[in-house]
Amino acid sequence: MIEAVKINNQIRNMTTIAHISDLHFGCEAPMVREGLLASLEHINPELVVISGDLTQQAKRREFQAAHAFLATLPYPYLIVPGNHDLVENNLPERLLFPWQKWRQYISRELEPVIHEEAYVAIGVNTARRVSLNPDWSRGSISRMQVARIRRQLQTTPTTHLRLLTAHHPFWLPPMFAHRELVKRGASALQAFQSEVDIILSGHVHLAYAQVTQGVIVSHAGTTLSNRLLLHHTNSFNVIRGDRQRLSVELMEWGSQRFRFARQQVFRREDAGWHQQH
């Protein structure tokens, strides 16, 4: 009887989060959109994390379509912008009013924070309106942002799962290294050791999860758009667990619905997180 109570408590304390990314309204697939909503209804997540690139070209009609989609979600959500959410062909708007449409249609916040009983979810905006890099799609995390995140975690109970959401990658598979990591990502990861459990990101339209410097880096593919990598399909991730054990489940689009594709399991030890094989 005591063992049954312990198991039930563990089930109640397990957090379920859906991680979707790179929706790219403007080139979204309507059937996939409806399939996502049906799949989320079945999963019933406590939180939906959306890691940027809601739009394709940051046009007003694309933001309106994204707004309409968000209005259909019956779940709390945390959302950060991506590089595609900054207009590319209107330099005055990009430089002077970069987030005007985002704040009008999506959220007043660029870096939201959600505190719940079992977890804290923190958003960080890694998209930049201008950069010294000629490719302005590259992302960056500043020392001030890292310091802010660490301050926010200082008041978080040690038992709470700690999630950080950004658009740009903190780790890449070797064959995608040309896409480049978020600037200052390595020093940020070092600062986040033992403080952040998992970083949720997107940008490269590729789904994977990897432990680096004791932190789980989990990326979602493009969930709704037709901008697919060769031999890849639309996908999203489901994260389940707590500060001791986390699973990352990949849901892939096929046969007109999202289906379970694979699962990776991670456990936290004194030195940080490790993948369980």
Side-chain angles (χ1 to χ4, degrees):
M1 185 68 172
I2 294 176
E3 187 65 27
V5 171
K6 182 188 294 185
I7 292 172
N8 286 335
N9 286 336
Q10 290 174 345
I11 292 173
R12 281 198 298 269
N13 292 334
M14 185 177 72
T15 299
T16 300
I17 293 172
H19 174 204
I20 66 179
S21 191
D22 296 80
L23 309 183
H24 289 287
F25 280 97
C27 58
E28 78 280 8
M31 182 181 295
V32 180
R33 176 186 181 276
E34 296 308 310
L36 172 65
L37 293 174
S39 187
L40 290 177
E41 183 177 5
H42 177 73
I43 295 165
N44 192 29
E46 294 159 60
L47 178 70
V48 176
V49 168
I50 310 171
S51 54
D53 278 2
L54 267 72
T55 66
Q56 175 59 21
Q57 295 181 316
K59 293 181 178 179
R60 190 169 298 276
R61 59 178 174 81
E62 295 170 352
F63 275 109
Q64 290 170 339
H67 174 82
F69 167 76
L70 294 173
T72 67
L73 293 179
Y75 324 98
Y77 59 82
L78 179 144
I79 186 167
V80 296
N83 53 282
H84 276 266
D85 300 315
L86 286 164
V87 68
E88 185 177 4
N89 57 3
N90 185 332
L91 197 57
E93 178 184 332
R94 184 176 182 119
L95 295 179
L96 299 177
F97 313 104
W99 304 115
Q100 185 177 51
K101 284 181 282 192
W102 179 273
R103 288 192 165 104
Q104 180 179 358
Y105 293 106
I106 306 303
S107 173
R108 299 292 301 174
E109 298 289 338
L110 297 174
E111 298 185 318
V113 180
I114 296 178
H115 289 273
E116 288 296 340
E117 184 178 351
Y119 68 87
V120 59
I122 299 174
V124 58
N125 179 19
T126 56
R128 297 293 184 259
R129 64 177 123 181
V130 65
S131 170
L132 294 177
N133 191 314
D135 183 357
W136 286 5
S137 71
R138 307 299 187 193
S140 175
I141 182 168
S142 71
R143 295 179 182 86
M144 289 181 61
Q145 288 174 309
V146 171
R148 173 184 61 82
I149 292 164
R150 296 189 68 189
R151 285 196 304 271
Q152 290 168 329
L153 291 174
Q154 285 175 358
T155 59
T156 299
T158 57
T159 55
H160 281 35
L161 181 65
R162 291 115 178 272
L163 305 103
L164 178 65
T165 301
H167 178 64
H168 293 87
F170 285 74
W171 182 87
L172 283 168
M175 67 180 300
F176 287 90
H178 64 281
R179 296 297 304 272
E180 296 188 15
L181 301 177
V182 62
K183 186 177 180 180
R184 300 188 193 89
S187 59
L189 277 172
Q190 188 173 12
F192 293 150
Q193 283 183 8
S194 76
E195 296 185 2
V196 173
D197 294 311
I198 185 168
I199 300 177
L200 308 179
S201 305
H203 186 59
V204 294
H205 294 198
L206 181 71
Y208 58 83
Q210 172 76 22
V211 175
T212 179
Q213 297 196 49
V215 179
I216 305 168
V217 175
S218 179
H219 276 240
T222 176
T223 304
L224 297 185
S225 85
N226 55 25
R227 302 178 68 248
L228 299 168
L229 296 177
L230 186 64
H231 306 307
H232 289 77
T233 185
N234 297 102
S235 67
F236 71 98
N237 296 332
V238 181
I239 294 93
R240 304 181 197 268
D242 53 29
R243 278 215 90 187
Q244 303 307 313
R245 181 187 183 277
L246 281 175
S247 69
V248 179
E249 302 169 8
L250 174 63
M251 304 293 292
E252 289 188 328
W253 180 256
S255 302
Q256 300 184 351
R257 65 188 179 93
F258 280 100
R259 299 180 296 178
F260 173 83
R262 68 170 184 263
Q263 180 190 60
Q264 292 172 265
V265 177
F266 303 87
R267 291 190 179 276
R268 189 168 71 92
E269 301 173 3
D270 292 340
W273 286 89
H274 300 272
Q275 183 167 351
Q276 180 177 320
H277 297 284

